[in-house]
Amino acid sequence: MKKIDLHIHTISTVSDYHFDFDLSKLKEYIEKLEIDCIAITNHNTFDFNQYNTIKDNLDIIVFPGIEIDLERGHLLVISDNDDLSEINDFSKKCKRVNNLIETKDDYITLDEFKDIFPNLDKYLVIPHYHKKPIIKPKVIEQIETLITAGEVSSYKKFKTCIKDSESLVPVIFSDSRYFSEMKNFSTQQTWVDLEEITLSGIKSCLTDKQKVFLTKEEGNEFFRATAEGLMLSTGLNVILGQRSTGKTVTLNKIHNTHENIKYIKQFSLLQDDAQKFEELLSRRHSSVSEDYLKEFKKVVDSVKDIDLKQNEVEIENYLNSLLKFASDNEKADAYSNTKLFSENHFGEKDLLGLKKLINATVALKENTEYKTIINRHLNAKSLESLELDLMKEYIEIEESNLKKDWVNTLITKVKDELRFRTSSSIPTDVDFYRTLIDNEKIKKFITIVNNIKSEKEIDKKEIRGFKIVASTKRFSNASHLKKVCSRQISLVPAFNKYHEPYSYLLALKKAEIEDTEIFKYFVDIEYKTLNKLGFPVSGGERSEFNLLHEINDALKHNMLLIDEPESSFDNIFLKNEVNELLRDISKSIPVIIVTHNSTVGASIKPNFIACTKREIVNGEIEYKTFSGFPADKQLKSVDGETIDNFEIMLNCLEAGQDEYNRRRNQAYEILKN
């Protein structure tokens, strides 16, 4: 078995943040994590001289490689290391890639990639698979070489790919930069079932899911949690230990070693302030507000620039100019008598609606998820024919608009010339169609605002008995409006117009509310959390709800860490609600709980346990960690030292066997009788 890390950065590029590479730190990483093989894969560049320096200073296999920005995803291309001419050729190809990438937003196209690397079979090619930015499956299909492995970002995704017969073989690498101030090393590497390391050997292993592992001996059910060698289960783990023995220190190390971790710290969820709790709910569920008001925002955007008063002025000016034109008729000369002198412009047709219709037809035609249902009502041929007819109509209207625009420009030029040569006045231009549409839009806007201001329940969610209810509520006064306004301005004049939607819109603009925020000032969205009995939650229930919410939220992360949940909650709640939820979550991501509580520590039935111990060595504090299965008699440290599991459990969870017996015999038995 060999431990490989084929994703390492040693040069800061435009696609990266700045760092000064430190070779000694890379050597320290390789020695501490016992790596057998690495690949140097900088963003869009390969430095042959630096590669040689690194290779000559390390006692392990080092492959030359590059991480390419391809079609907005990332792709590792790794070359063999045993042929100097091949590495030279690889270096030249990498320079061509580098010349195409000038900024962090640049990427090369698939055609450019194929032109630079016409023969990919001699390289190891690994796309970002379940890791951002991903190489899309369509791009992978078009890369002309056999791609069998894909890089993932977490142990959860690694295990999912192993179980999924359709997935690529997963690999997980550090993707780290090595600089002198670096304090924590990534423990993300992949073990491959290989005796001797060669590029062809690794390529062979990466075709078989039975030959890649997260650990050397424990397969894919464990992972290396810290650089010091602590192994933990990819399921549910409990860390025990007396006060000040390094439990939180261990959690912090795990947190600093891995990325995208959900870390629930001790006492962090206590929630006594009802107003702050309501604000927290609003932030958490802001997507509900955004979804509910998304369409209304479009309505506001479509009317915010309409000025009905200005429209009236334009019509009044037009009528006056028409009257003057009529009265000046007697003074008409050869210029003012021409047809074009008083000609109006041709109106152009709006194509927005037709464009949306074409896009909707294309979406129906290209949808694969609901293809059967769509084709049950509209067959593929009909959709294709519809799209074609709509596009023809679009082209015809656009052509007509272009002609009208050309003619209108010509009319304007001729009218300007005629006006210059005559003393007769000319009727001003006015767009009656636009004025009519503006009036209708404002009428609709008023109707929509009055509807959206009606108070009603718009969303309801449930988390283990708690209900989160979102309701619309009319703003009650100017102070209430401050809830959505982050600036210190007076909103009293605006609120006085709250019952007149269009006047209110103008007043908000006058108050210099940003155009993109105006839609939020018409209705408030209020969130309430109710307990199992349907009543507003108490202070303690708010904290319980917070814990359950945060645990549920953990599935968006790669790992969940919880530091002493019992510090804030009673045992019944922990046993009935928290333990079950944590066990469910641990089926998807690693869960690590620090606890002194027997309800959590023992009743939760963890997959693996660890125990911390503090020792003073040469006047310095040293923290040791022992680990094993819950049923093991002994827990072992990384260096083979053992401690008694039974004694640890009783001391940490029950304050020792004597106290445990005393409570059982002298307290609980008496009460029971």
Side-chain angles (χ1 to χ4, degrees):
M1 293 279 279
K2 300 294 180 186
K3 194 177 193 181
I4 62 173
D5 183 3
L6 304 184
H7 195 161
I8 280 180
H9 294 270
T10 58
I11 296 174
S12 176
T13 69
V14 292
S15 306
D16 221 322
Y17 61 80
H18 176 76
F19 68 95
D20 293 317
F21 173 61
D22 185 343
L23 179 57
S24 64
K25 198 54 93 170
L26 177 59
K27 288 179 72 174
E28 185 184 339
Y29 162 68
I30 288 165
E31 289 166 8
K32 192 166 188 176
L33 275 293
E34 301 174 299
I35 313 288
D36 296 306
C37 161
I38 64 169
I40 306 300
T41 51
N42 291 301
H43 284 294
N44 308 301
T45 192
F46 173 69
D47 184 330
F48 202 164
N49 292 329
Q50 191 206 47
Y51 165 75
N52 278 327
T53 303
I54 293 170
K55 178 174 67 72
D56 293 342
N57 279 276
L58 297 179
D59 297 327
I60 62 168
I61 300 290
V62 181
F63 289 112
I66 186 171
E67 181 175 13
I68 299 173
D69 285 299
L70 172 66
E71 299 285 3
R72 301 188 185 282
H74 284 184
L75 180 79
L76 300 178
V77 179
I78 298 164
S79 174
D80 214 335
N81 63 338
D82 59 357
D83 187 331
L84 190 59
S85 63
E86 281 294 332
I87 302 178
N88 257 319
D89 179 62
F90 177 72
S91 179
K92 288 175 186 172
K93 289 178 166 54
C94 293
K95 277 182 184 168
R96 290 183 62 190
V97 173
N98 187 253
N99 289 337
L100 294 170
I101 307 291
E102 295 180 350
T103 72
K104 65 177 182 179
D105 297 320
D106 290 346
Y107 62 89
I108 65 172
T109 64
L110 192 56
D111 289 339
E112 290 169 332
F113 177 69
K114 287 179 178 179
D115 184 51
I116 296 171
F117 292 95
N119 182 10
L120 279 168
D121 292 345
K122 57 185 175 183
Y123 304 112
L124 173 57
V125 181
I126 302 175
H128 272 208
Y129 187 47
H130 288 295
K131 177 176 181 172
K132 294 179 180 177
I134 66 165
I135 296 283
K136 293 178 182 172
K138 280 185 180 176
V139 177
I140 293 177
E141 287 173 10
Q142 295 177 64
I143 295 176
E144 292 169 353
T145 191
L146 182 64
I147 294 179
T148 60
E151 189 175 356
V152 300
S153 60
S154 69
Y155 306 118
K156 174 179 72 173
K157 291 170 183 170
F158 187 98
K159 288 180 68 176
T160 301
C161 287
I162 289 288
K163 293 173 184 172
D164 182 1
S165 60
E166 300 296 320
S167 292
L168 293 178
V169 175
V171 288
I172 188 165
F173 299 132
S174 69
D175 194 3
S176 292
R177 289 95 180 130
Y178 297 87
F179 46 93
S180 56
E181 300 82 9
M182 191 174 190
K183 293 180 179 174
N184 299 290
F185 293 131
S186 169
T187 58
Q188 293 194 163
Q189 299 87 27
T190 301
W191 287 89
V192 290
D193 190 0
L194 200 64
E195 283 299 318
E196 182 184 355
I197 294 176
T198 61
L199 194 68
S200 58
I202 293 174
K203 287 175 78 171
S204 174
C205 281
L206 299 190
T207 63
D208 187 350
K209 291 181 181 176
Q210 302 298 316
K211 292 185 176 179
V212 294
F213 305 96
L214 291 174
T215 63
K216 183 178 182 180
E217 295 170 351
E218 292 85 2
N220 295 323
E221 299 304 314
F222 286 80
F223 69 100
R224 184 161 176 160
T226 66
E228 287 73 21
L230 173 64
M231 306 295 287
L232 290 176
S233 166
T234 51
L236 183 57
N237 304 272
V238 166
I239 297 180
L240 306 170
Q242 297 178 8
R243 294 284 176 200
S244 305
T245 56
K247 299 185 296 302
T248 302
V249 171
T250 304
L251 273 195
N252 289 340
K253 278 184 183 175
I254 296 170
H255 180 245
N256 293 329
T257 302
H258 301 270
E259 294 182 352
N260 192 21
I261 303 290
K262 183 76 175 182
Y263 189 178
I264 303 175
K265 297 189 176 183
Q266 190 177 7
F267 303 120
S268 65
L269 300 176
L270 290 177
Q271 189 57 263
D272 295 327
D273 191 312
Q275 186 178 347
K276 286 183 179 176
F277 181 68
E278 189 178 333
E279 291 170 359
L280 179 66
L281 280 179
S282 296
R283 287 198 299 276
R284 280 177 182 165
H285 301 284
S286 58
S287 61
V288 174
S289 305
E290 288 170 7
D291 286 347
Y292 182 73
L293 295 175
K294 186 169 63 179
E295 296 303 320
F296 179 63
K297 181 177 184 299
K298 292 178 185 173
V299 172
V300 173
D301 286 344
S302 71
V303 300
K304 64 183 170 55
D305 294 324
I306 292 177
D307 189 337
L308 294 183
K309 195 169 182 181
Q310 180 60 31
N311 287 353
E312 288 176 3
V313 169
E314 286 177 6
I315 292 175
E316 186 68 26
N317 288 341
Y318 170 75
L319 291 174
N320 289 334
S321 69
L322 199 60
L323 288 171
K324 191 166 189 311
F325 174 71
S327 68
D328 289 348
N329 197 37
E330 290 180 357
K331 299 184 227 172
D333 51 28
Y335 303 108
S336 58
N337 272 330
T338 58
K339 179 74 175 171
L340 285 176
F341 185 72
S342 55
E343 185 60 84
N344 288 323
H345 285 162
F346 291 97
E348 295 176 23
K349 197 164 183 178
D350 187 358
L351 284 166
L352 185 63
L354 183 53
K355 198 171 183 178
K356 286 181 179 176
L357 196 55
I358 293 171
N359 290 336
T361 307
V362 172
L364 284 170
K365 197 181 80 171
E366 295 182 350
N367 186 285
T368 53
E369 189 174 0
Y370 302 106
K371 194 177 183 67
T372 309
I373 299 175
I374 293 169
N375 288 158
R376 196 182 302 152
H377 302 275
L378 296 164
N379 62 48
K381 194 173 177 181
S382 298
L383 283 169
E384 199 165 312
S385 177
L386 174 62
E387 182 192 359
L388 194 62
D389 287 348
L390 290 173
M391 289 183 75
K392 281 179 183 172
E393 181 70 10
Y394 184 93
I395 290 168
E396 283 177 15
I397 295 174
E398 188 174 51
E399 186 181 344
S400 172
N401 281 346
L402 286 170
K403 287 176 180 174
K404 287 176 180 174
D405 181 60
W406 187 85
V407 172
N408 287 340
T409 304
L410 189 63
I411 290 172
T412 301
K413 284 181 181 175
V414 172
K415 286 171 75 174
D416 288 345
E417 282 293 322
L418 293 172
R419 188 186 295 124
F420 180 73
R421 294 169 189 275
T422 183
S423 58
S424 298
S425 60
I426 188 169
T428 58
D429 287 330
V430 64
D431 189 338
F432 286 108
Y433 180 74
R434 179 182 58 78
T435 303
L436 180 65
I437 292 296
D438 283 353
N439 287 340
E440 290 303 311
K441 278 185 175 178
I442 293 302
K443 285 180 188 173
K444 281 280 183 187
F445 169 71
I446 292 170
T447 303
I448 292 169
V449 170
N450 288 333
N451 181 46
I452 207 165
K453 280 161 67 175
S454 64
E455 299 187 356
K456 54 185 172 288
E457 186 178 298
I458 59 170
D459 191 67
K460 184 190 287 184
K461 289 179 183 170
E462 187 167 338
I463 299 180
R464 301 190 78 81
F466 289 99
K467 290 186 179 65
I468 309 112
V469 180
S471 307
T472 55
K473 188 175 181 181
R474 294 169 65 92
F475 285 105
S476 55
N477 51 48
S479 298
H480 193 177
L481 280 176
K482 290 281 185 185
K483 182 178 177 182
V484 290
C485 183
S486 57
R487 292 186 293 138
Q488 293 298 318
I489 56 174
S490 172
L491 291 169
V492 174
F495 185 77
N496 289 337
K497 305 283 185 184
Y498 186 60
H499 60 290
E500 301 170 18
Y502 179 63
S503 299
Y504 180 57
L505 172 68
L506 297 180
L508 289 173
K509 290 183 69 173
K510 192 174 180 182
E512 298 185 346
I513 301 297
E514 291 180 15
D515 284 358
T516 54
E517 300 291 308
I518 288 177
F519 73 99
K520 297 179 181 175
Y521 288 74
F522 287 84
V523 66
D524 183 24
I525 295 182
E526 186 180 74
Y527 296 91
K528 283 185 179 175
T529 304
L530 308 176
N531 62 21
K532 291 177 180 177
L533 301 175
F535 293 105
V537 290
S538 65
E541 287 171 329
R542 285 196 289 268
S543 300
E544 291 176 359
F545 172 78
N546 271 344
L547 178 63
L548 295 174
H549 178 275
E550 291 299 302
I551 293 174
N552 263 314
D553 185 60
L555 282 176
K556 299 173 187 169
H557 299 73
N558 294 334
M559 196 182 301
L560 171 62
L561 311 181
I562 308 182
D563 193 359
E564 297 190 31
E566 70 270 17
S567 305
S568 313
F569 307 101
D570 61 60
N571 283 337
I572 294 294
F573 170 71
L574 292 170
K575 177 179 177 295
N576 291 343
E577 306 295 345
V578 178
N579 283 3
E580 186 182 338
L581 188 55
L582 287 173
R583 288 197 64 80
D584 284 344
I585 300 278
S586 70
K587 292 172 185 171
S588 301
I589 60 173
V591 175
I592 303 164
I593 311 164
V594 161
T595 185
H596 294 283
N597 182 285
S598 59
T599 301
V600 177
S603 301
I604 201 169
K605 299 178 181 175
N607 301 103
F608 207 62
I609 60 172
C611 174
T612 56
K613 187 177 176 184
R614 183 181 64 177
E615 291 181 352
I616 307 296
V617 180
N618 299 324
E620 299 286 334
I621 295 176
E622 281 191 8
Y623 296 109
K624 280 194 170 182
T625 310
F626 302 80
S627 58
F629 292 97
D632 288 348
K633 297 289 183 188
Q634 303 284 319
L635 301 181
K636 288 183 183 176
S637 69
V638 174
D639 54 13
E641 191 178 344
T642 60
I643 57 174
D644 188 89
N645 190 4
F646 178 71
E647 188 178 335
I648 289 296
M649 294 284 279
L650 279 180
N651 286 342
C652 295
L653 302 180
E654 308 290 351
Q657 185 162 9
D658 291 342
E659 181 61 22
Y660 170 69
N661 291 334
R662 190 194 66 77
R663 277 203 304 269
R664 190 178 63 178
N665 298 327
Q666 298 179 21
Y668 300 137
E669 287 297 328
I670 291 172
L671 287 174
K672 187 171 72 175
N673 291 336

